[in-house]
Amino acid sequence: EVQLVESGGGLVQPGGSLRLSCAASGFTFNSYAMTWVRQAPGKGLEWVSAISGSGGTTYYADSVKGRFTISRDNSKNTLYLQMSSLRAEDTAVYYCGSGNFGTKKFDYWGQGTLVTVSS
Amino acid sequence: QTVVTQEPSFSVSPGGTVTLTCGLSSGSVSTNYYPTWYQQTAGQAPRTLIYSTDTRSSGVPDRFSGSILGNKAALTITGAQADDESDYYCVLYMGSGIWVFGGGTKLTVL
């Protein structure tokens, strides 16, 4: 059974940093692309970033480019999102997802971790 | 910047059929955008329904189907059930490693 478990969320001050993790199990982690998607309170889903199975290719939404870094450790079956220069508008539940760049789909999702940016 | 458009809300009667759409503020949606549809119930993670326009994800009942209708992607739910009451999101692949979600449609079954 595919399982994705996010962690690392919490309260951080504007301008601060936070690193999210997503522990994966139940599939061959390094064979799958991974993504981060977020959802601000009461709002819709927003795609944030994606990374290839090898980690060699990364993509970012304009809203986070230059501030967020996606990475993965295939030896630990773990995906990361390093977030810096955080803003109030980054407040959201962050979901990690697994998928396939070929079909452009991400089909398994974790339960999310809440990031709150506030002073 | 291209915006992905969805109806903010829709209602359907139990047992009825509803078609939700996913368009672009400029241009037409085609299979080249790999339309994907997600269902999300309040407080839950997204559930993948349809990917690559019309392929049902594993375990998704055939009451859910995807297509291109005119210049938009479409999600059709036939025989609507009470537990279909959810938010539905489409996402389009814009090329160059960029995905963009629509604003979502809140579906009410009543």
Side-chain angles (χ1 to χ4, degrees):
Chain A
E1 179 193 4
V2 172
Q3 278 202 316
L4 298 170
V5 180
E6 300 94 337
S7 61
L11 175 64
V12 60
Q13 292 188 337
S17 299
L18 206 59
R19 187 177 82 159
L20 306 183
S21 299
C22 170
S25 60
F27 64 103
T28 305
F29 184 66
N30 62 11
S31 295
Y32 288 83
M34 299 292 294
T35 193
W36 289 98
V37 163
R38 67 185 180 183
Q39 187 168 36
K43 303 295 186 183
L45 298 171
E46 180 188 11
W47 175 76
V48 171
S49 183
I51 187 168
S52 62
S54 67
T57 301
T58 58
Y59 301 113
Y60 298 93
D62 285 345
S63 58
V64 306
K65 196 175 295 183
R67 300 187 300 122
F68 289 11
T69 301
I70 191 171
S71 63
R72 62 193 297 160
D73 186 335
N74 286 343
S75 69
K76 295 182 178 179
N77 287 357
T78 303
L79 172 74
Y80 302 101
L81 186 68
Q82 178 68 48
M83 304 184 294
S84 60
S85 302
L86 283 162
R87 308 165 179 165
E89 55 264 37
D90 296 317
T91 294
V93 174
Y94 285 72
Y95 296 101
C96 67
S98 65
N100 183 301
F101 276 174
T103 53
K104 310 295 188 285
K105 67 159 180 168
F106 294 97
D107 49 5
Y108 290 99
W109 298 92
Q111 287 303 305
T113 186
L114 175 63
V115 173
T116 303
V117 184
S118 175
S119 54
Chain B
Q1 182 173 341
T2 301
V3 174
V4 177
T5 62
Q6 294 185 248
E7 299 87 358
S9 63
F10 230 116
S11 63
V12 61
S13 300
T17 296
V18 63
T19 296
L20 312 181
T21 67
C22 175
L24 290 169
S25 56
S26 176
S28 299
V29 177
S30 69
T31 57
N32 293 331
Y33 285 87
Y34 297 86
T36 300
W37 291 90
Y38 297 101
Q39 177 190 50
Q40 187 183 38
T41 307
Q44 301 295 316
R47 172 198 181 196
T48 308
L49 296 175
I50 301 287
Y51 63 93
S52 294
T53 306
D54 57 6
T55 303
R56 267 185 298 277
S57 194
S58 176
V60 174
D62 58 8
R63 303 187 296 105
F64 294 89
S65 63
S67 64
I68 298 291
L69 285 182
N71 62 350
K72 296 182 180 182
L75 173 71
T76 299
I77 307 171
T78 58
Q81 301 177 358
D83 61 4
D84 294 336
E85 188 161 293
S86 299
D87 295 326
Y88 291 85
Y89 293 92
C90 71
V91 63
L92 302 179
Y93 179 68
M94 311 304 275
S96 302
I98 302 298
W99 284 261
V100 178
F101 278 90
T105 297
K106 184 177 185 61
L107 180 67
T108 302
V109 180
L110 50 73

